Amino acid sequence: MPGQVAQAPVETTGTARSALLTVGVEEEFLLVDPHTGAAVPAVDLVMAQVPAELRGQVEREFQTSQIEIGSPPGLELSSIRHSLGVLRAALADAAERAGVRVLAIGTGPVDGPVPPVVDKPRFDRMIERFRLLVPGPGNNGMHVHVGVPDAETGVQVLNHVRPWLPVLHAVTANSPFSAGVDTGYASWRSIEWERWPSVAPTPWLESHEHYERLIRQLIASGVMLDEGMLYWYARLSAKYPTVEIRIGDVCPSVDDTVLVAALVRALVSTAMADIEADRPAIRTDHHLLVAAHWRAAHDGLEGDGVDLTTGDLRPAWTLLDDLVDRLRPALDRHGDLTEVTDLLGALRRHGSGAARQRAVYARTGRLTDVVADVARQTRGT
C-alpha cells in the first residue's frame, strides 16, 4: 500500500520517439531482529533515527515492520543510483542505531509473530473491511514511476506494456522463503499479495474514461476503499503525470533496482513510440496473462516463462533477452544501453535475488545467514 513519490513531468521536446522520460523509484523494506531474522514492529524507532534532511524521502508503510524510501525523479540513471544508495545506507545506519536490521526482501523468511498494522485511520478501515488478508511479516515491493505527457497517453501505455510485465516480474523475484521454509516459489510475496481483491494484471482499457469508470465501479463494489487501493500491476498515478509499474519484489541491491528502473523506462518509451506509429498493442488473453504472472512468481528468472506473443513456454532468460532487444533503441536514446548491458551480465552471473538467497541457504543451511547476506546487499557492501 505504497505512498507516491513526487514525480516531475515527462520531458516533451521532440516526438515520442525522441522524448526523454523521467523515472523515479519507491522501495519498501522489512525490519528484522538482527539475531533471529524475524520481523519486528520497529518502524517508529527507526524513523526517529533517520537524519532530518532525509525524512521527507522515508515513510512508514502498512505494517510496523516495514519502511519505505522514494528517490526523486530524474532523467539520469546515475542520479537514481546515487539517491537510492544514500537512502539505503542512511536507513541501514538508522536501523542499526535502533537495534534492528533493514532488509530489501519481498517478505520475511523467518517465522515469528505478525507485526501490527501502522496506526492510521485509513489502514484501520482496511483492516475492518478486509480482516485476515494481512499476510504475515509484511510484503515489500518496488514501484517504478515513468513520466507520461497526459492521462490518455498513459492509458494507451498501460495496454502496450501488459504483455511484457511478467518478464520483469521474474527479474525481480526475491522472496523464496517464508515462515522458515522454502515455499517452492521465487516470489512468495506475489502469492501472498494476491489475497487482496484488487490485485491483478491491468485489464485492457478502451480510454481514460473507461479507466476512471472501472475505478468508480470497483470502489462501489467494495473491493477497494479508494483509488489508492487500485493494486493493478501497472496503473496511472492518482497525483502525478506518471505510469506506475508495481509488479516486482523489492530488489536486493541498488544495481538490481537501477536495472529494473532502466528497463521499465525503456518499456514505457517503446510503448509511446508504438502509439505514435499506430502500432497496435498485443491484446493478450486475461487468463493467459494471469498464468504468465503465476509462472514468473513460481519460477523466477531461473526457470521458464510464458511467451505472451505465442503462448509458448520458454526459458525466462530467453524472454528477457528478447525484451532487451525490443527495448534497445529506447535504452540507447536514454543513454542507458551500456549500463544495462553491464548490469544484465552481473545478473546472469549472480542470479536473481531468489537464487542468491537459495544459494546461501544451500551452503550453510541457516536462514540467519540468508538474512545477513540480504542485509549486506541492501546496504551495498
Side-chain angles (χ1 to χ4, degrees):
M1 300 79 177
Q4 299 264 358
V5 176
Q7 298 289 317
V10 61
E11 297 292 317
T12 55
T13 55
T15 65
R17 299 186 191 203
S18 62
L20 300 181
L21 308 182
T22 56
V23 62
V25 177
E26 299 165 335
E27 295 186 302
E28 300 162 356
F29 303 101
L30 189 69
L31 303 173
V32 301
D33 183 290
H35 305 294
T36 67
V40 289
V43 66
D44 288 339
L45 296 174
V46 176
M47 288 290 292
Q49 296 295 327
V50 173
E53 65 273 16
L54 297 179
R55 287 180 187 170
Q57 295 172 265
V58 182
E59 295 183 1
R60 291 167 179 80
E61 240 295 322
F62 187 61
Q63 286 173 257
T64 52
S65 53
Q66 296 176 279
I67 198 164
E68 179 182 22
I69 63 173
S71 74
L75 291 172
E76 302 294 333
L77 285 187
S78 58
S79 67
I80 302 298
R81 176 184 293 281
H82 175 74
S83 295
L84 293 176
V86 168
L87 287 165
R88 280 180 173 229
L91 197 58
D93 288 342
E96 288 179 10
R97 289 192 293 271
V100 299
R101 264 181 174 160
V102 62
L103 301 184
I105 196 167
T107 193
V110 177
D111 200 12
V114 176
V117 171
V118 169
D119 185 15
K120 289 177 63 174
R122 180 172 180 268
F123 293 166
D124 291 342
R125 292 196 303 274
M126 291 170 68
I127 294 300
E128 182 180 1
R129 176 170 298 181
F130 299 105
R131 306 299 293 177
L132 295 177
L133 294 187
V134 179
N139 290 151
N140 305 296
M142 176 183 67
H143 312 117
V144 182
H145 289 259
V146 180
V148 291
D150 56 76
E152 203 64 59
T153 300
V155 165
Q156 293 183 66
V157 167
L158 296 179
N159 286 339
H160 278 259
V161 303
R162 290 170 77 242
W164 312 105
L165 294 185
V167 180
L168 298 179
H169 195 165
V171 171
T172 61
N174 186 35
S175 50
F177 297 102
S178 178
V181 299
D182 191 322
T183 65
Y185 284 78
S187 174
W188 185 246
R189 178 204 65 89
S190 302
I191 304 305
E192 290 188 328
W193 182 229
E194 288 174 359
R195 296 181 186 183
W196 292 90
S198 56
V199 173
T202 309
W204 183 270
L205 299 161
E206 301 298 336
S207 64
H208 184 233
E209 190 280 329
H210 181 209
Y211 179 91
E212 292 187 315
R213 184 170 72 251
L214 276 175
I215 290 173
R216 293 192 300 271
Q217 291 170 333
L218 289 169
I219 292 172
S221 77
V223 302
M224 294 166 27
L225 292 180
D226 50 38
E227 187 172 352
M229 283 191 69
L230 186 72
Y231 299 142
W232 292 345
Y233 298 157
R235 69 182 186 185
L236 303 183
S237 169
K239 297 182 179 179
Y240 308 108
T242 64
V243 166
E244 181 186 3
I245 306 300
R246 41 186 298 109
I247 183 55
D249 290 358
V250 64
C251 290
S253 73
V254 170
D255 275 355
D256 299 314
T257 301
V258 169
L259 171 61
V260 174
L263 292 175
V264 168
R265 175 166 63 178
L267 182 60
V268 172
S269 180
T270 301
M272 289 175 62
D274 286 345
I275 292 164
E276 183 182 80
D278 290 326
R279 287 189 286 268
I282 299 170
R283 192 154 183 168
T284 306
D285 180 83
H286 173 76
H287 291 285
L288 189 60
L289 187 58
V290 169
H293 279 290
W294 177 86
R295 190 80 196 205
H298 184 273
D299 285 26
L301 196 53
E302 282 68 36
D304 290 328
V306 179
D307 183 341
L308 287 169
T309 65
T310 65
D312 297 331
L313 205 61
R314 301 173 65 202
W317 260 107
T318 300
L319 296 176
L320 178 56
D321 288 339
D322 289 349
L323 176 60
V324 173
D325 285 343
R326 174 180 173 78
L327 304 182
R328 194 173 300 273
L331 290 167
D332 190 42
R333 184 167 60 253
H334 284 88
D336 298 343
L337 184 57
T338 297
E339 182 163 8
V340 164
T341 301
D342 291 343
L343 292 172
L344 282 169
L347 183 64
R348 198 182 293 270
R349 290 192 301 274
H350 302 309
S352 68
R356 288 173 230 168
Q357 289 185 47
R358 283 172 166 151
V360 172
Y361 189 74
R363 288 196 303 270
T364 73
R366 294 188 297 269
L367 283 175
T368 51
D369 291 336
V370 173
V371 168
D373 188 66
V374 173
R376 175 190 61 79
Q377 293 181 72
T378 302
R379 178 186 282 278
T381 56

